[in-house]
Amino acid sequence: MTGVKQWIVRLAAAGLLFPAAVFGQTFVEAPNPVGYVNDFANFIDDSVEHQLEQDLSAYELKTTHEITVVTTDSLQETTIEDLAVRWFEQWGIGKAKDDNGVLLLIVPSERQMRIEVGY
């Protein structure tokens, strides 16, 4: 490779690796969703979880808008914003053509909550 090509390859590699190195963020694989309510932190009372699951299912049937509630024990060495965006995208919440999904992410151990919406 010529010097210019090597420089461009190094610059591109540095640009891709730099944010992860600086911010310490890693790729966070989302757990498999189990429904509209995904209480991975065991934070929501079972009866409330069951009722919420039914209500969110009925709401999607009526409006086509998909709302997913998630609780987790940890931010997994990232920010709540990053975790919400990653899980929202990995799960494909909402209808792709309408971008009508909503993710409510709750991390009780960190006392944080995030609402992520489609565009």
Side-chain angles (χ1 to χ4, degrees):
M1 256 194 269
T2 66
V4 172
K5 286 183 182 177
Q6 287 178 338
W7 182 81
I8 291 172
V9 168
R10 288 181 185 154
L11 185 62
L16 292 174
L17 300 176
F18 179 75
V22 170
F23 299 110
Q25 296 182 355
T26 57
F27 181 75
V28 180
E29 187 67 34
N32 291 326
V34 294
Y36 297 96
V37 181
N38 298 273
D39 187 19
F40 301 121
N42 294 318
F43 180 70
I44 303 171
D45 182 69
D46 288 342
S47 62
V48 172
E49 183 177 344
H50 179 73
Q51 184 62 52
L52 189 55
E53 183 76 30
Q54 288 181 334
D55 292 346
L56 293 175
S57 175
Y59 184 74
E60 182 183 9
L61 288 174
K62 182 178 178 182
T63 67
T64 75
H65 302 297
E66 186 176 327
I67 300 172
T68 302
V69 177
V70 182
T71 69
T72 186
D73 289 326
S74 166
L75 289 175
Q76 302 180 24
E77 299 181 18
T78 188
T79 65
I80 194 162
E81 295 85 3
D82 184 55
L83 193 64
V85 167
R86 288 173 188 261
W87 287 7
F88 186 94
E89 291 173 353
Q90 288 176 29
W91 286 354
I93 298 170
K95 308 296 182 268
K97 65 181 175 99
D98 297 326
D99 237 347
N100 61 351
V102 176
L103 170 68
L104 173 61
L105 177 61
I106 304 166
V107 188
S109 62
E110 302 286 335
R111 296 183 182 209
Q112 292 190 41
M113 182 180 79
R114 170 84 178 175
I115 299 172
E116 192 64 43
V117 298
Y119 300 105

